[in-house]
Amino acid sequence: MITLDSKTLLDNIRIHLFPTTKFKTVLVSVFINQVLERELAAQTALLPAVLERGTREYPSFRDLKIRLEELFGAELGADVVKKGERHILSFSLEVANNKFAPGENLLKQGLTLLKNLISDPFLENGVFKRDYVRQEKEQLAKEIRGLVNDKVSYAIERCVQEMCPNERYGVFKYGSVDDLDIISEESLYSYYQSLLRENPIDVFVVGEIDADETFSLLEDTFNFYREKTTSKLPPVEVYNTPVEVRYREEALPINQGKLTLGYRTNTSYQDDDYFSLLLYNGILGAFPHSKLFQNVREKASLAYYAFSRLEKHKGVQLIGSGIEIENYQQALEIIQEQVELIKQGNISSEEMENTKRGLINQYNVLGDSPYSLVNFFLDGVIGGREEGVDYFINKIEGIKKDDVVEASNKVFLDTIYFLHSRDGEGGEQS
Amino acid sequence: MQWQIKENETLKEKVYFMPIEGGPELYVLPKKEYNKKYAIFSTRFGSIDNTFRVAGNGGEKITLPDGVAHFLEHKLFDDEKGNVFDRFAEYGASPNAFTSFTLTTYLFSCTDFFDENFKLLLEFVQSPYFTEESVSKEQGIIQQEINMYQDNPDWRVFFNLLAALFKDHPVRNDIAGTSESISMITKDILYKCYHTFYHPGNMAIFVIGNVEPSNIYEQVTESLSNRTFPPFENMGRVYPREKAAVNEKKVVQELAVSQPIFNMGFKDTYSFLEGRELLARELATELLLEMIFGRSEQLFTHLYEEGLIDERFDAGYTAETSYGYTLMGGETNDPEKLHQELLSGIRNFKKEGLRKESFERHKRKMRGEFLRSFNSLEFIANNYLAYRFRKIEFFDILDVLEKITLDDLQKRLFEHLDEDLSAVSIINPFKQ
């Protein structure tokens, strides 16, 4: 396992370095942490697209891409990530190791571009360029409307929205089309400046690097003004016992019904029994040997996919399956029966052991991809866990069946969302 | 038996190849620093192999219902005791499989118990167990897989385009088949295809991670020693004679989408190329597409600022021995206008020629991207065999790329990006 080499405060920016010779590239990831909020979501989501349009030195998207191609196809980009009730503005740079490009310092040249992207955007009259903002608002509106195009993600997202209408977690990661109208190039720019000044920033570097040299390069990259203390983000709402189950349905002209169940686990990533919940979710639906796959798919032949997944920061569990519309009742019964079985302690020792091994395998391979390594430590930052992979593996090994049953009995069904077809007719080819 | 070692200085990778008598081909790439160990077992049997002659039956020609290769992939996970997922789970491995147009691959990744998992992979792929009951059960599952894809606009726009480009070649058919075709699949058909296409002589194994080549070789030979095979005779694959012309110029379907989805394709000439020649064609065409439609080119900026494309617009080329095509597109608010703009973009390049500066830059980028993808064990293993099945040595990519000239691209521009050999596929939102 690759371990953290150093961690230092630099104008309230936390730097995490992972020197390793394993990879052919160096990855630099920057995360600006923001609260997920209805009023802010569209603005936060718009920022990466506008920033990617150009910098002072490379004023257009095209100029930037040409420069990146000269650097052996280096990757540079910005994005937004939703983790629980956090909305994270992310930047990343990936360059080939210097040894693959003799005579060049690709990391140094790449960091100059990253610096330009973050803190030296292309401006017009002291704010973002009007055309860029207008075009990106249109693109983002299309992206938001385009959620429906992928029915699997659409069904999951719609279930979350119905489940959390009055919680931050119910906000879509791209915000809503209505909120785009009021954004101007001035308001967006000043919002971005406040993020750079006040919000928590974490930087991760993975690859064949010299810690001292990289640290001084990063000092130069992040030399913009920061407040002495970073803004404190509100805690995530996790604990919630639903009074009754919400039933929601929606019709679209489609072939396959999508059944989605949203549960409150009442366990957060920080809680001691998080690992029991992880086991619970694994036994229920995270693997091909799990109860959902074995019973909904293998035994009843009702579905091609049937899974459960945890949103660890929010403590929400989602079950999803694509089924024949008329099989709704049967599929729902089988799914709920699997949940009940675990709550009653009906877990075989094979299920316990196999799920532990499957989970441990997932943690063991984290360090084999620079992106999953960074994501694991970002989860730690967001969810307030500083421990490394070995701690996780140790904890998982120690979980007993009773722990799983205990964690499962804090899990409550909140919302059943069914996406189906109005008249049972699908898309016909013309 | 001696290992043949292929080493690449630029990639700093070394692959061990063992030519086992009677097959399968065995490749091992040790990566000491990785925790993950990844193994794949592939056979040259894909969705396009639906008509063939077997030597044993006096050259009888067999035509399969669509979707057999994929169906077989699902069913091979069964044995007398149930399915093998549970046994991989005992050793903490993550098993999977996939079927493409030209091959079927079984795989697992793990960190511990590699020997046990690898043995299981060799064992289950070489032990077919099909019953009427399990076949009929699988029909329900695959029916749902087909339904899922029927609702997936990106999948539909792609297969509609292939059906527009190709009139007879089986690449036009969905890999999973149709409700009708899968209802015709029986256990006898599965056994027949298994014995034809899962002969070790038709297969290959690739293992990557912190592993010892000698240990892998011992396990493979031990697993083969328990079995007997008739000598491998290549089945005669029969592909219909596909005409140069496209089948239809345009195909339109309505689905529940927020805005239209547009794909344009160019059908390649029927070439039967393989090896370095096929690779050179693939790389030259990819470079050409980058130079015309890439994100760093004027056309992309123009289309983006006009709101005709989003940043996911993409163009790519697929080169197989019996077919080839270029495909480009994405979501758009105006498919007709986008179509015209793309064609006129191509015409401009034909008139003005390709620029040297842009050529060198895209080549440099392609080199870097290739290198970067070597961070992923799955990428290396999956591609190595997929290229190997087209008689291409995967590590040759950098070398062949270096030798490609601007003239090669200029030639491909006129020969391949020919409006007469193009078709479009559009998914429109349902009319309210």
Side-chain angles (χ1 to χ4, degrees), chain A residues 128-143:
Chain A
F128 289 130
K129 182 173 159 138
R130 171 171 294 188
D131 279 351
Y132 286 176
V133 173
R134 179 182 53 79
Q135 286 163 4
E136 293 309 330
K137 276 161 74 168
E138 283 167 20
Q139 292 280 5
L140 187 57
K142 285 188 217 165
E143 177 88 40

Side-chain angles (χ1 to χ4, degrees), chain B residues 48 204 247:
Chain B
I48 65 166
N247 180 34

Side-chain angles (χ1 to χ4, degrees), chain A residues 314-376:
Chain A
K314 176 65 182 172
V316 157
Q317 185 190 40
L318 292 154
I319 292 177
S321 185
I323 55 168
E324 207 62 61
I325 290 159
E326 68 212 36
N327 289 338
Y328 167 82
Q329 207 55 45
Q330 193 194 353
L332 185 60
E333 273 163 28
I334 296 176
I335 290 171
Q336 289 185 287
E337 190 191 333
Q338 306 315 308
V339 173
E340 275 315 305
L341 283 173
I342 303 182
K343 290 190 177 197
Q344 288 157 13
N346 207 321
I347 305 167
S348 70
S349 56
E350 287 80 28
E351 285 175 307
M352 273 305 281
E353 286 316 302
N354 295 353
T355 303
K356 281 184 183 181
R357 291 205 183 103
L359 289 169
I360 290 168
N361 183 49
Q362 288 174 0
Y363 283 100
N364 271 328
V365 300
L366 274 181
D368 288 342
S369 149
Y371 287 93
S372 41
L373 189 69
V374 166
N375 191 48
F376 172 75

Side-chain angles (χ1 to χ4, degrees), chain A residues 209-221:
Chain A
I209 48 166
D210 174 86
D212 292 338
E213 188 200 334
T214 307
F215 193 75
S216 83
L217 283 173
L218 292 175
E219 263 182 326
D220 179 54
T221 308

